[in-house]
Amino acid sequence: MVLSLASPPALDAVDWVALAQFESGDWAFVREQLPYLARGFVVTLLLTLTSIVLGFLAGFPMGAIEVYGRGPLRSFVYGAGVVLRAIPIVVILVFMFFVAPIPLPGGQFAFDVPRVGSVSFGRSAFLAATVGLGLRSAAYQAQIFRGALQSVSGGQMEAARSVGMSRLQGIRHVVLPQALRRSIPGFQNEFTIVLKDTSIAFAIGLTELFARADNLFTQRTTATLELFLFISLVYFIMTFVTNRSLDYLGDYYAIPGGDR
Amino acid sequence: MSDQHSGTADGTDTSAATASGTEASDTDTASADAATAGAASQPLLRVEDLQKSYGDETVLRGISFDLDKRDVEVIIGPSGSGKSTMLRCVNRLTEFQGGAIYLDGESVMAMNDNDLRRRVGMVFQDINLFAHLTALQNVTLGLRKVRGMGKEAAREKAMDQLDRVGLASQADSYPAELSGGQKQRVGIARALAMDPELLLFDEPTSALDPELVGEVLEVMRDLAEGGMTMLVVTHEMGFARRAASSLMFLDEGRIVERGPPEQLFDDPEHDRTAEFLQRLTTISEEV
Amino acid sequence: MSGERSTARTTLARAGEGLPTGRSVGLAIGALFWAWLVVRWVTIWAGYSEPFFPVAFFEGLATGFENDALVMQQNTGALAPVLDFVAGFWFLFSDVASFVAFAVEYLPTLAEGAWLTVVLTVAGIAFGLVIAVPLSVARVYGGVVTRSLALVYIELIRGTPLLAQLFVIYYGLNMSQYFRGVSSGLLPTTAVWVAIVGFTINSAAYQAEYIRSALESVESGQLTAARAIGLSRIDGIRHVVLPQGLRYAIPGWTNELVYLIKYSSLAAFITVVELFESGRDIAGQTFQYLNIYALLALFYLALVLSATLFMGWVEDRVAIPGLGVRDGRE
């Protein structure tokens, strides 16, 4: 794993000592660049959050419309969902950045993060990435909520109506609390998917974690393997922590005796 | 896991009851046994001081009995008494910790488990037909993959078995298309096809709707009359009375009492046996 | 990344799910699309990559509509409001015609890219399956060591971005050097081979996870019954558990196929000229971003919907009464 396989020479021709220094030099390079990468990490986290939140804000009503809505609105939501789920995220991102009629602000976002330093990234790329990842996520979150809403049995609604609640009250106080709990496992997947897919925003030049590793790799091509293994590890830890936290959330809100 | 005898006294004395267990109606049995050399002296199945526990919980506390060829032993007992576990020890679906089991004089521990299971068939409470295979394929799978038979030969043999349980016409139906009783009859055909020397029945009718129980019991009675050696866990007392050569009452991992069915029904030695049988008959009358 | 949606409930979330209206219309369009695509591939291999339809005709149409519309707008007579209204439609027709002209001109290039998208997807899912089956069996039935190894592999791959995985094997391990022998003439470039390796590694983990949950939904009594007629454990898994489990896995498999079609676009970043990259090339030459991305979207939509329909057909073909209906299994 530590060996660079850039040009496999005959084994006896390898200068192992030089190679060892060379390799450790590449790891040292990664270490040197940690602050630079850490700033990218902040952008990745931020983009994940904004995208998930946008996805939730748009996806939740979309799911409800697919279950309770009717007419052209429902057809539109359904159609938009099919299209958003069928197109590769990289196409969506590039489209949002170059084509979509959204007013993208120019310039840089910059702010200081304690111990990491000044984080800055392009406003337009960040906004386009948020809209792209967010809308795609909305299409998937809508499916999660739709499935969860449909999984709450019809008897629950009947029971709510029988104690005098209106349809809307029944949805709000009886169906929703159950459906939201049931959507936690699906939401968990969605969260990690968005987290990993933020790496594709490098295609529109957003300087998040992956793009920064890519920049460094063009600076120092021998450190490629080290760089990408390192950021893979960072992504892995992020998905792992996310999954465990959401597991915990699921357990915390679990209804005794009820399935999630 | 060894053949080591720990010598617990519990239950060992009941093995004597076997001799009297075979008496009823079986003059032809005797002659058939005599034909196979040495079989008369050796029981088909010998269980010696069988012990089994799951972790801290002891399920079987020294079970011993013999079963001769053509014997039909019915085992009754309250839930948790270890009936199913004992059955599963015989074909080693469950491993046991103490005692020994011999099939035709050979310790089952010394046998390859696949070979053992080829010789000892089993019919399950929850039936467990292979859900992706037709009735016919359920029967041929073992013939083809375990016995290595050719396609045509396996098919022919499987059709014979299905015919035997009265389901030749349903050969191409999938399990989901069969009634519970039909499913269980296919389950019996599947076990029979392997030409087992001994058939184990683990509450074969207790998952069935009451009106479907009869057809399965009928097949089992035919098998018993045809001379199949059977070890049957069931609470169908009608079956026990008519088809069993011996009845065994199991409680808390021990044999409480064992003997000819009439004896246990009419004149049980132990109060517990009487009480349990009383309860069973009351329930079955209610049903 | 639809590849991760593994709970039975979210299998509802499949991208295609059939069109809301006119299933037969959808099928007809799909059949036309594939007929065109296959003919296009064959002609390209035969050395003919000119458009099938005259580009100039549609360009002429576009100019004609536009000129007419401009003339209509010049009118200041009594009919001016009506003509103005009609002119609006004529401008629209002109735009449509010029989009069609654009599409006709560049479809051959996109078809060539789509070929690689299909190759990457099919190879990824097929080779991935070969690895995924033993992986999932190890995960469910393996001993402590094999189970942990399978778990670590699955979680590491599923926990890291596919893009990073592709970069590691292409740029980090320089894997293309191993494929120099198999990329001359009609054979794909070395980068395509590396991409296939990457998608195989990635897809194996996702497929293993789908198959794992499917295997776990096969009742344990099935294996017990198999063992009871004398089948060995491995034979019982092979002849009884897997045939059922793989059927349960079909919805997950559909997700995975759709996932691979979409994420094969990432091969563009390791120099593979698949559908997305060929679109990007065209955009770079023509600067017609809107047109090219609309075309790309339609192309991917067609591929994804075809895949969903196809898998639905497969599901029906291998359906067994009472199996695959997951009621009472969740």
Side-chain angles (χ1 to χ4, degrees):
Chain A
M1 204 86 122
V2 200
L3 276 180
S4 165
L5 295 175
S7 51
L11 275 181
D12 51 4
V14 180
D15 184 343
W16 287 103
V17 179
L19 191 64
Q21 279 167 351
F22 182 68
E23 289 301 334
S24 63
D26 286 335
W27 281 112
F29 176 70
V30 173
R31 203 162 342 113
E32 269 166 39
Q33 298 297 336
L34 269 183
Y36 177 75
L37 291 170
R39 278 172 243 141
F41 172 78
V42 172
V43 182
T44 294
L45 278 185
L46 206 61
L47 178 59
T48 307
L49 282 179
T50 52
S51 306
I52 283 286
V53 169
L54 176 63
F56 182 83
L57 292 180
F60 184 70
M62 278 170 73
I65 287 168
E66 281 199 32
V67 178
Y68 300 110
R70 47 181 65 90
L73 180 64
R74 188 180 174 281
S75 304
F76 173 76
V77 166
Y78 180 90
V82 170
V83 171
L84 281 168
R85 288 191 299 273
I87 301 175
I89 185 64
V90 64
V91 174
I92 297 177
L93 289 180
V94 175
F95 179 85
M96 290 300 169
F97 191 63
F98 288 110
V99 189
I102 39 175
L104 295 176
Q108 297 278 114
F109 255 129
F111 52 86
D112 279 328
V113 176
R115 305 232 259 149
V116 173
S118 171
V119 177
S120 74
F121 49 87
R123 282 169 197 263
S124 56
F126 187 83
L127 193 70
T130 296
V131 173
L133 282 166
L135 287 185
R136 201 271 311 245
S137 182
Y140 278 112
Q141 291 191 45
Q143 293 297 299
I144 297 168
F145 293 131
R146 190 192 72 163
L149 286 171
Q150 283 170 340
S151 77
V152 179
S153 69
Q156 294 286 320
M157 188 57 153
E158 279 177 15
R161 297 303 294 272
S162 76
V163 296
M165 288 189 197
S166 70
R167 191 173 140 87
L168 209 60
Q169 281 176 316
I171 292 174
R172 186 168 152 216
H173 298 293
V174 176
V175 179
L176 263 190
Q178 297 183 49
L180 281 176
R181 284 186 177 83
R182 284 184 198 199
S183 46
I184 288 180
F187 189 73
Q188 192 164 347
N189 274 335
E190 186 55 32
F191 207 113
T192 54
I193 289 164
V194 172
L195 180 54
K196 286 181 288 177
D197 279 359
T198 55
S199 59
I200 300 169
F202 103 109
I204 54 171
L206 180 68
T207 49
E208 40 66 68
L209 184 58
F210 190 90
R212 285 178 188 238
D214 188 56
N215 287 344
L216 292 177
F217 142 56
T218 46
Q219 267 178 47
R220 179 155 174 162
T221 48
T222 56
T224 314
L225 184 64
E226 289 80 359
L227 276 169
F228 286 106
L229 282 181
F230 175 74
I231 64 158
S232 295
L233 181 71
V234 175
Y235 281 108
F236 179 75
I237 293 170
M238 283 195 277
T239 53
F240 188 84
V241 170
T242 307
N243 276 327
R244 289 300 154 275
S245 320
L246 287 173
D247 276 346
Y248 177 78
L249 187 74
D251 291 343
Y252 186 82
Y253 282 110
I255 299 166
D259 66 322
R260 282 223 313 249
Chain B
M1 229 108 349
S2 69
D3 300 347
Q4 207 179 335
H5 297 206
S6 56
T8 18
D10 278 327
T12 36
D13 55 342
T14 47
S15 61
T18 329
S20 60
T22 30
E23 36 104 64
S25 81
D26 274 11
T27 39
D28 54 328
T29 315
S31 57
D33 282 355
T36 25
S41 61
Q42 194 174 68
L44 177 67
L45 178 74
R46 162 162 288 171
V47 176
E48 272 182 14
D49 191 30
L50 182 64
Q51 300 184 28
K52 158 84 192 171
S53 50
Y54 295 103
D56 288 344
E57 191 192 355
T58 309
V59 185
L60 300 175
R61 302 162 194 272
I63 304 253
S64 303
F65 67 94
D66 284 357
L67 200 63
D68 285 325
K69 272 207 177 100
R70 295 176 154 259
D71 275 0
V72 175
E73 179 87 34
V74 167
I75 303 162
I76 58 173
S79 66
S81 58
K83 300 167 301 208
S84 294
T85 306
M86 186 184 87
L87 232 51
R88 278 157 192 263
C89 287
V90 172
N91 68 351
R92 281 180 51 206
L93 279 179
T94 296
E95 300 293 342
F96 49 93
Q97 279 90 33
I101 298 175
Y102 300 95
L103 184 68
D104 220 1
E106 199 184 338
S107 165
V108 298
M109 291 310 298
M111 292 163 70
N112 172 291
D113 52 356
N114 298 331
D115 292 339
L116 168 66
R117 289 171 194 150
R118 196 162 60 186
R119 293 172 60 186
V120 180
M122 186 162 195
V123 176
F124 298 88
Q125 174 179 0
D126 43 6
I127 308 172
N128 292 332
L129 285 193
F130 303 132
H132 64 302
L133 301 178
T134 61
L136 182 69
Q137 289 167 333
N138 259 278
V139 184
T140 52
L141 183 70
L143 294 173
R144 308 250 295 122
K145 304 297 171 192
V146 179
R147 306 246 318 231
M149 285 173 74
K151 206 171 175 179
E152 259 323 297
R155 189 192 145 80
E156 221 165 276
K157 176 153 190 164
M159 282 307 288
D160 286 347
Q161 302 309 320
L162 286 175
D163 199 33
R164 205 164 154 189
V165 299
L167 282 175
S169 61
Q170 302 285 334
D172 294 323
S173 302
Y174 282 98
E177 300 169 323
L178 299 172
S179 74
Q182 290 174 325
K183 275 190 228 174
Q184 191 56 292
R185 282 148 67 195
V186 176
I188 294 173
R190 179 173 69 180
L192 279 178
M194 307 304 287
D195 291 326
E197 296 161 47
L198 168 67
L199 254 186
L200 310 174
F201 290 83
D202 187 4
E203 306 204 35
T205 57
S206 55
L208 302 180
D209 290 336
E211 74 272 20
L212 302 174
V213 168
E215 57 189 86
V216 174
L217 291 179
E218 200 178 315
V219 169
M220 288 169 63
R221 243 183 344 254
D222 286 349
L223 285 179
E225 278 161 20
M228 175 60 73
T229 317
M230 294 157 67
L231 199 54
V232 184
V233 174
T234 186
H235 287 157
E236 295 295 337
M237 288 304 103
F239 175 80
R241 215 181 251 279
R242 257 183 283 170
S245 47
S246 165
L247 190 59
M248 178 193 294
F249 175 49
L250 216 63
D251 194 12
E252 291 177 349
R254 291 192 180 85
I255 299 177
V256 176
E257 192 167 353
R258 181 172 183 235
E262 314 80 80
Q263 185 191 314
L264 264 77
F265 278 119
D266 305 333
D267 185 21
E269 265 178 51
H270 295 267
D271 292 346
R272 261 199 294 171
T273 316
E275 201 181 303
F276 185 75
L277 281 170
Q278 176 65 37
R279 235 183 312 150
L280 272 190
T281 20
T282 324
I283 291 167
S284 53
E285 271 160 15
E286 278 168 10
V287 173
Chain C
M1 215 178 287
S2 64
E4 279 191 22
R5 290 151 219 285
S6 62
T7 60
R9 210 174 290 130
T10 50
T11 52
L12 292 169
R14 274 183 266 160
E17 279 190 291
L19 296 159
T21 50
R23 191 181 153 84
S24 44
V25 175
L27 280 176
I29 294 174
L32 262 177
F33 169 74
W34 279 99
W36 166 77
L37 196 55
V38 169
V39 171
R40 190 70 265 190
W41 286 338
V42 172
T43 54
I44 289 172
W45 294 327
Y48 178 78
S49 39
E50 294 303 309
F52 286 160
F53 306 100
V55 178
F57 170 74
F58 292 102
E59 276 172 347
L61 215 55
T63 328
F65 275 120
E66 196 178 2
N67 289 341
D68 290 352
L70 289 171
V71 169
M72 285 184 233
Q73 281 189 324
Q74 301 296 314
N75 189 302
T76 49
L79 282 174
V82 178
L83 284 174
D84 208 36
F85 180 73
V86 176
F89 280 96
W90 252 242
F91 278 122
L92 180 69
F93 293 155
S94 167
D95 286 347
V96 170
S98 64
F99 176 71
V100 173
F102 177 84
V104 166
E105 185 169 1
Y106 290 105
L107 275 177
T109 317
L110 291 180
E112 234 179 317
W115 166 248
L116 279 184
T117 293
V118 171
V119 165
L120 292 177
T121 303
V122 172
I125 201 138
F127 296 144
L129 179 68
V130 173
I131 303 176
V133 169
L135 258 184
S136 56
V137 170
R139 181 94 166 69
V140 179
Y141 296 105
V144 181
V145 177
T146 49
R147 206 168 44 205
S148 325
L149 282 177
L151 178 73
V152 166
Y153 176 84
I154 292 171
E155 291 308 311
L156 276 181
I157 296 298
R158 281 166 29 100
T160 50
L162 173 56
L163 198 54
Q165 291 160 13
L166 289 176
F167 271 53
V168 163
I169 62 170
Y170 187 77
Y171 298 112
L173 297 174
N174 190 16
M175 204 179 256
S176 40
Q177 63 190 314
Y178 305 112
F179 292 108
R180 275 185 199 131
V182 286
S183 54
S184 53
L186 278 175
L187 290 166
T189 62
T190 53
V192 173
W193 288 106
V194 178
I196 288 175
V197 171
F199 290 132
T200 301
I201 292 173
N202 184 271
S203 186
Y206 284 96
Q207 290 188 60
E209 194 58 10
Y210 286 125
I211 299 173
R212 177 193 64 83
S213 77
L215 288 181
E216 281 172 353
S217 71
V218 176
E219 285 160 34
S220 65
Q222 293 284 320
L223 186 55
T224 313
R227 299 284 278 145
I229 57 166
L231 283 171
S232 67
R233 198 170 151 80
I234 218 65
D235 277 344
I237 292 171
R238 183 170 147 212
H239 297 295
V240 174
V241 179
L242 273 176
Q244 298 180 40
L246 289 180
R247 284 186 169 83
Y248 290 139
I250 290 177
W253 228 46
T254 309
N255 278 345
E256 180 57 22
L257 193 60
V258 169
Y259 166 89
L260 273 177
I261 292 172
K262 294 190 290 177
Y263 283 74
S264 62
S265 57
L266 297 186
F269 300 109
I270 58 168
T271 74
V272 176
V273 189
E274 43 62 71
L275 185 52
F276 167 66
E277 182 63 19
S278 53
R280 227 168 38 147
D281 286 351
I282 295 167
Q285 292 159 24
T286 64
F287 302 106
Q288 300 214 37
Y289 289 99
L290 180 60
N291 281 347
I292 191 63
Y293 283 107
L295 260 185
L296 274 184
L298 284 174
F299 233 111
Y300 278 109
L301 198 62
L303 291 178
V304 164
L305 290 180
S306 313
T308 322
L309 282 173
F310 173 73
M311 290 305 288
W313 175 80
V314 169
E315 199 170 358
D316 289 345
R317 271 304 292 272
V318 302
I320 284 176
L323 249 195
V325 191
R326 284 201 179 215
D327 53 344
R329 267 179 204 288
E330 267 190 55

